[in-house]
Amino acid sequence: MTNGTATPTDLDARLEAHRVELTGYCYRMLGSSFEAEDAVQDTMVRAWRSYDRFEGRSSLRSWLYRIATNVCLDMLTAGNKRARPMDLTEPSPLARAALSPRPDHTWLEPVPDARVLPTTQDPAEAAVAKESVRLAFMAALQKLPPKQRAVLILREVLAWRASEVAELLGTSVASVNSALQRARATLAEQREPGAEAAVSDPLDEEQQKLLERYVAAFEGYDMTALTALLHEDAVMTMPPFDLWLTGTDDITGFMTTLGAPCAGSRLVPVQVNGLPGFAQYKPDPETGGFTPWAVQVLEISDGRITGFHCFLDTQRWFPLFGLPLHLEGEPDQVQQGA
């Protein structure tokens, strides 16, 4: 089928076949799940409108990536860089913990795996794809200039040849190689919290048991049991608040003071950013049952939880993950652990 004979239905199907991988690319570029979906929609509209001028000198996939790259670069011209709380402030000791929100556009956003990770039968390819959307890697990408970011993603994540990237960006192979070297050097200089997270795909038996123990400890609000699961230098974040805590004492201390209303919560597993996660519903004393509170993303290393990231804007995140905005059931009377 040539571009001259494609029917609207044919073209829609061909474009849609690339939606997930394009969303993954735009998400890595922009750090926002919602902006990524907007960028892909813009890409699809531009492709539809200009398809009669697509001469087939490259594959449809390469042409779509070229459009998506231009869309993302245009969106990044304002210089906005998505961040995590630890990129913006120092950790707060529990005694000075304060919940100060920042605007939505400040934060690196979570994303459901299914929105950005195409299905593949190659375990190695699947592992690379998951690692490339993990929060620590995403945070590192945000520190690269936009064109270096594009080069690194295309070369190292998507395994494009330097000549293909040069053609896409309208530059030389030497320029692409130079940009890749600078991007690699920048990433090597940074040690992002969570970068050492080692989560197998699928979860191995030890990791699965760790998550089961975590659910039991969190739903039971047993701080002694939770402490045993956390690395001594574990980090807890709660966007849109810029507060972040480190260390088991401050994390569990926060959970039993400012976070005490979360006692008796229910956790529903989700696949998020290539990592294990949970949708947290906390008891709703007014209507009964449980109300959405956070999407939790867990980083694991050496049999302990090293990162505990709670994204609290539930009116945005729960629909994105296809999660209900209410759970039925009677909250248990929970005794907080010591």
Side-chain angles (χ1 to χ4, degrees), residues 109-328:
E109 296 179 349
V111 71
D113 286 0
R115 296 277 185 132
V116 295
L117 299 178
T119 302
T120 176
Q121 301 303 315
D122 183 341
E125 185 179 324
V128 168
K130 283 196 169 188
E131 289 170 5
S132 71
V133 294
R134 289 180 182 169
L135 295 175
F137 184 73
M138 288 292 302
L141 283 177
Q142 300 305 300
K143 296 180 180 179
L144 297 175
K147 285 196 175 179
Q148 284 186 30
R149 200 181 307 176
V151 168
L152 185 84
I153 296 166
L154 291 165
R155 291 283 285 119
E156 306 247 304
V157 177
L158 301 176
W160 285 40
R161 295 191 296 272
S163 58
E164 294 174 319
V165 178
E167 182 180 355
L168 181 147
L169 294 175
T171 189
S172 66
V173 169
S175 177
V176 167
N177 288 337
S178 176
L180 180 60
Q181 287 181 341
R182 293 197 302 275
R184 285 172 172 168
T186 300
L187 296 191
E189 290 171 0
Q190 303 168 17
R191 184 182 179 276
E192 292 292 332
E196 73 285 352
V199 181
S200 62
D201 181 32
L203 296 177
D204 63 31
E205 184 178 358
E206 180 184 359
Q207 291 166 350
Q208 191 61 55
K209 288 182 177 179
L210 175 65
L211 293 181
E212 290 169 0
R213 292 166 62 200
Y214 169 76
V215 170
F218 193 94
E219 291 189 343
Y221 233 58
D222 183 339
M223 295 300 115
T224 300
L226 187 61
T227 297
L229 305 178
L230 295 174
H231 189 278
E232 61 182 8
D233 296 323
V235 168
M236 179 181 182
T237 68
M238 291 161 284
F241 301 116
D242 58 15
L243 170 75
W244 64 285
L245 302 163
T246 185
T248 55
D249 288 347
D250 278 359
I251 291 173
T252 57
F254 178 89
M255 291 176 66
T256 54
T257 53
L258 290 176
C262 290
S265 290
R266 292 288 176 267
L267 299 181
V268 176
V270 293
Q271 298 297 316
V272 51
N273 285 85
L275 292 163
F278 297 93
Q280 178 194 344
Y281 292 82
K282 71 174 185 177
D284 187 341
E286 294 185 3
T287 63
F290 301 86
T291 191
W293 184 246
V295 170
Q296 301 180 0
V297 185
L298 302 186
E299 292 166 334
I300 298 171
S301 182
D302 296 328
R304 295 288 180 91
I305 295 169
T306 56
F308 172 46
H309 307 289
C310 303
F311 294 88
L312 303 182
D313 191 351
T314 55
Q315 293 301 313
R316 301 173 77 215
W317 303 133
F318 276 54
L320 183 70
F321 282 79
L323 293 162
L325 294 178
H326 183 78
L327 285 185
E328 298 295 337

Side-chain angles (χ1 to χ4, degrees), residues 52-63:
D52 59 344
R53 298 192 299 276
F54 172 51
E55 300 175 355
R57 288 178 295 185
S58 63
S59 69
L60 177 65
R61 179 174 182 258
S62 297
W63 184 60

Side-chain angles (χ1 to χ4, degrees), residues 322-338:
L323 293 162
L325 294 178
H326 183 78
L327 285 185
E328 298 295 337
E330 289 298 324
D332 297 333
Q333 296 298 315
V334 176
Q335 295 292 323
Q336 292 178 6

